[in-house]
């Protein structure tokens, strides 16, 4: 698969994940009154279930037989690293720079996406 195709597919699924994340954050913060940190954690975990399936079968497909449990483990590690970078960025913006919580959630998606793509390309689905 051409790298441009892989990046395009990643962008499509990333956009869907961003919409899932935004919907969960909005429901939890606005409708349920839950704080921005817990809302962020839950939203990313929900979106990751969606993300793994699309990553495994559409973004980073492989011809050879693969060990799904190994990929789940590596995907979880990649998620942890990407999420950690995003979460630190989120808290730094909100607590350190007094940024709007919704804007910080949105900007964090880009930090997360960059780290996630590189980790999954180079480690999880190589």
């Amino acid at each position: 698969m051409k790298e441009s195709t892989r990046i395009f597919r990643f962008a499509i699924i990333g956009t869907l994940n961003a919409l899932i994340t935004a919907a969960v954050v909005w429901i939890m913060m606005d409708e349920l009154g839950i704080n921005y940190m817990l809302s962020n954690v839950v939203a990313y975990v929900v979106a990751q279930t969606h993300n793994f399936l699309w990553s495994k079968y559409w973004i980073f497909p492989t011809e050879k037989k693969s060990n799904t449990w190994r990929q789940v483990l590596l995907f979880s590690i990649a998620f942890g690293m990407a999420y950690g970078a995003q979460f630190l960025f989120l808290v730094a913006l909100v607590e350190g720079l007094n940024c709007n919580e919704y804007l910080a959630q949105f900007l964090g998606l880009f930090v997360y996406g960059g780290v996630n793509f590189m980790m999954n390309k180079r480690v999880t689905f190589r």
Side-chain angles (χ1 to χ4, degrees):
M1 175 186 313
K2 292 166 92 175
E3 192 63 13
S4 59
T5 301
R6 187 180 318 279
I7 291 170
F8 179 73
R9 288 179 177 189
F10 183 82
I12 290 171
I13 299 308
T15 300
L16 290 173
N17 284 341
L19 293 172
I20 291 167
T21 301
V24 172
V25 164
W26 176 75
I27 290 167
M28 291 184 72
M29 286 175 62
D30 275 8
E31 301 301 314
L32 302 176
I34 297 171
N35 86 15
Y36 78 95
M37 286 190 235
L38 181 57
S39 298
N40 183 270
V41 170
V42 172
Y44 273 85
V45 169
V46 169
Q48 281 319 290
T49 303
H50 171 264
N51 190 11
F52 176 77
L53 294 172
W54 284 103
S55 292
K56 179 173 177 57
Y57 296 108
W58 195 55
I59 299 171
F60 302 105
T62 181
E63 299 279 327
K64 59 186 174 182
K65 189 173 183 174
S66 60
N67 181 337
T68 299
W69 288 111
R70 178 182 178 277
Q71 289 176 331
V72 167
L73 175 63
L74 293 173
F75 190 84
S76 297
I77 291 168
F79 165 70
M81 293 179 74
Y83 182 76
Q86 176 277 149
F87 192 78
L88 290 174
F89 182 78
L90 169 72
V91 172
L93 286 180
V94 173
E95 303 297 331
L97 299 175
N98 203 28
C99 182
N100 176 278
E101 293 172 0
Y102 291 98
L103 177 60
Q105 298 270 11
F106 174 74
L107 295 174
L109 291 169
F110 297 99
V111 172
Y112 174 83
V115 174
N116 190 338
F117 180 82
M118 294 308 294
M119 289 296 299
N120 283 313
K121 178 183 176 193
R122 296 176 191 255
V123 178
T124 307
F125 300 107
R126 64 180 165 100

